[in-house]
Each structure stands twice: as structure tokens, then as C-alpha cells.
Amino acid sequence: MEGFNIDYIEIIGLTAAVLTTTAFLPQVYQTWKTKDVSALSLPMLLIFFIGILFWLVYGILQKSLSMIFANSITILSSFLLVYFKIKYSKRS
Amino acid sequence: MEGFNIDYIEIIGLTAAVLTTTAFLPQVYQTWKTKDVSALSLPMLLIFFIGILFWLVYGILQKSLSMIFANSITILSSFLLVYFKIKYSKRS
């Protein structure tokens, strides 16, 4: 991709990206499947979501393909957790 | 710090670092306090731990203060979760 350098450093970063985003997905799946959001704290989810937003901006400014890739996926995952928390909390 | 650039990009990164590491700590505290590790999956914790290790190496190679700071703390947190999972799983 133009402007992006895929060297050995970026391969380490992309490995990191795949591992940490993969580790996060089962939580999203489990929450969606069980609708059990009792163990999730809304303030913590919001802090995490805003944190990931900052990481994404940081990655874009640093032109880091790994960080843009990882944080684009994780921001979606964490948005879904916030959404599930609000949606399923109302029921109980 | 020598070799590190603290500019506005790094301030965004450090903000991200504080937010995401902060959001992670209550999980560690809760697990330590309740000793309830049933919701934690060992393979996922290990994948996450190895992922963070890769992020730390990536941050060092990129000379990113924010990533070194964030991932040094998160690698400790995730190591503790792996440790708790192994330690408290044996009891039940």
C-alpha cells in the first residue's frame, strides 16, 4: 500500500494485531450469544472504547498499518459491547 | 527522554495508553478479589498475552513511548490473569 512500509517490524505488528483482536472476539460472541452483560461495566467499556479511538488516531498519525488494522477491528468490537451492555441491561 | 519524541502525536498515544490500561485493571482486581476465573478462557488469555508481547516488541522497534508504556503495564496485567486462571482453576 502506498505510504505504508511492510518490513519485518510491520510483520511483528501485524502478528500482534491478529493475536489481540482474535483474543477479543470470543468475548463479543459470548456476550451476543448469552446476552449476559452483568459482568461488564459500562464506565469501563466506555473508557476502553474512547481509549481505542485514541489508539486509532495515533496509528493513523504514525502511519502504522498494524495499529490501524488492529484498532479498526477492536473499535467495532468494543462498540458492540457498549451496545449490548445498554441493550441487554434494560431487560433485567 | 533521549531518543523519544514527545509531540502532540505522542500525547494522543499516551492518552490512549492511560485509557486502555485503566479499563483493563478492574478485571485484574476483580479476578484477584473474587478468585472467580470461570468466565476466563485460558487459550484466549494466552493468545492475548503473546499478542501483547508482540505489541511490546513492535513498540520498542518503532521507538513508540506510548506503546512501550501501555504494553509494559498490559503484559503484567495479562500475565496476572493467566497466573490467576491456572492457580484458581486447580481449586475447583
Side-chain angles (χ1 to χ4, degrees):
Chain A
M1 240 179 287
E2 222 171 1
F4 288 110
N5 236 341
I6 306 259
D7 50 13
Y8 85 98
I9 298 180
E10 217 48 48
I11 288 169
I12 291 172
L14 288 170
T15 308
V18 169
L19 291 171
T20 52
T21 53
T22 302
F24 203 67
L25 292 179
Q27 177 66 65
V28 180
Y29 178 75
Q30 188 190 305
T31 307
W32 172 71
K33 202 74 185 169
T34 63
K35 296 176 177 51
D36 178 10
V37 291
S38 58
L40 300 174
S41 141
L42 187 59
M44 288 306 121
L45 287 178
L46 287 173
I47 290 170
F48 188 73
F49 177 76
I50 296 164
I52 295 295
L53 195 65
F54 272 84
W55 277 126
L56 184 59
V57 172
Y58 180 75
I60 292 167
L61 292 171
Q62 293 280 32
K63 288 194 170 63
S64 160
L65 188 62
S66 304
M67 296 198 69
I68 295 169
F69 171 70
N71 291 303
S72 300
I73 296 173
T74 307
I75 209 163
L76 272 175
S77 310
S78 59
F79 176 80
L80 279 174
L81 288 180
V82 169
Y83 172 76
F84 290 153
K85 176 67 186 177
I86 294 168
K87 189 177 177 194
Y88 299 137
S89 289
K90 281 183 187 159
R91 296 186 173 187
S92 54
Chain B
M1 237 177 288
E2 221 173 0
F4 289 111
N5 236 340
I6 306 258
D7 50 14
Y8 85 98
I9 297 181
E10 217 48 47
I11 289 170
I12 291 172
L14 288 171
T15 308
V18 169
L19 291 171
T20 51
T21 53
T22 302
F24 204 67
L25 291 178
Q27 177 66 63
V28 180
Y29 178 76
Q30 188 190 305
T31 307
W32 172 71
K33 202 75 184 168
T34 63
K35 296 176 175 51
D36 178 10
V37 291
S38 59
L40 300 174
S41 141
L42 187 59
M44 287 307 121
L45 287 179
L46 287 173
I47 290 170
F48 187 74
F49 177 77
I50 295 165
I52 295 295
L53 194 65
F54 272 84
W55 276 126
L56 184 58
V57 173
Y58 180 75
I60 291 167
L61 293 170
Q62 294 279 33
K63 288 195 170 64
S64 159
L65 188 62
S66 304
M67 296 197 70
I68 295 169
F69 171 72
N71 291 304
S72 299
I73 296 173
T74 308
I75 208 161
L76 272 174
S77 311
S78 59
F79 176 80
L80 279 174
L81 289 179
V82 169
Y83 172 76
F84 291 151
K85 177 66 186 178
I86 293 168
K87 189 178 176 193
Y88 299 136
S89 288
K90 280 181 186 161
R91 296 185 173 189
S92 56

